[in-house]
Amino acid sequence: MDQCDYWIDYMFASPSGDRHALRLSAWKPGSMDCAQWGPTQYLSGGDDRYQAAASDGTPLTSVSDADGTVYNFGDPGLPYSVVDRNGNQATFSNPNSNWGFTMTDTAGRAAVVVSGFQGPGGDTITVSGLSNSYQISWGSETSAYTPSWKLVY
């Protein structure tokens, strides 16, 4: 059976926390029959503040803002680099499999190192220039919510 796999409905969370619909749609590599019966590809889109671009077979390539900052992506999630209009660059590497990352600045310094965001043991965030790192502790919480429902014919 042939199938068409695709990425759709991208949202970009800006550094200030705003969310922006990017209005992209891209077919996944190796998908069959997308041109025949899949969704239309929209490889560029955005809103008045943020514009995005994808390429055929790539979910998201870049997002740029009205001030000239460009966020470059290899996969959805953290960008692999952010470049401002002056050429200053922050690169992100993910050496850990637990969502940890290192942000390196234009001068090649490790500006922020995050050990991860999973696990009960806690995590560490180190910021260049601060004498102490941040410690994050994780805990468990239970919930007791029972939704009510009514079957309607």
Side-chain angles (χ1 to χ4, degrees):
M1 179 172 149
D2 293 337
Q3 67 183 39
C4 174
D5 296 322
Y6 54 91
W7 295 284
I8 195 166
D9 294 334
Y10 281 90
M11 297 293 289
F12 178 72
S14 72
S16 62
D18 301 351
R19 293 172 48 108
H20 299 267
L22 299 179
R23 298 174 178 87
L24 297 178
S25 174
W27 303 332
K28 290 183 180 179
S31 291
M32 307 301 284
D33 290 332
C34 282
Q36 182 179 359
W37 55 269
T40 301
Q41 286 200 105
Y42 295 101
L43 301 177
S44 63
D47 58 20
D48 59 344
R49 182 79 179 130
Y50 291 92
Q51 291 294 307
S55 61
D56 193 12
T58 304
L60 180 63
T61 305
S62 65
V63 175
S64 57
D65 69 16
D67 295 325
T69 300
V70 178
Y71 305 82
N72 297 297
F73 293 87
D75 289 316
L78 274 179
Y80 66 82
S81 72
V82 178
V83 183
D84 71 11
R85 65 180 172 199
N86 298 319
N88 298 310
Q89 180 170 316
T91 57
F92 295 84
S93 59
N94 186 1
N96 304 319
S97 61
N98 62 350
W99 291 91
F101 65 88
T102 300
M103 183 185 85
T104 305
D105 66 14
T106 302
R109 300 173 294 214
V112 178
V113 178
V114 177
S115 67
F117 286 110
Q118 295 181 1
D123 296 300
T124 303
I125 300 174
T126 304
V127 179
S128 177
L130 296 181
S131 57
N132 294 319
S133 56
Y134 293 94
Q135 299 297 318
I136 300 173
S137 299
W138 302 98
S140 298
E141 188 63 42
T142 59
S143 64
Y145 173 73
T146 305
S148 61
W149 60 277
K150 181 178 182 179
L151 182 60
V152 178
Y153 291 97

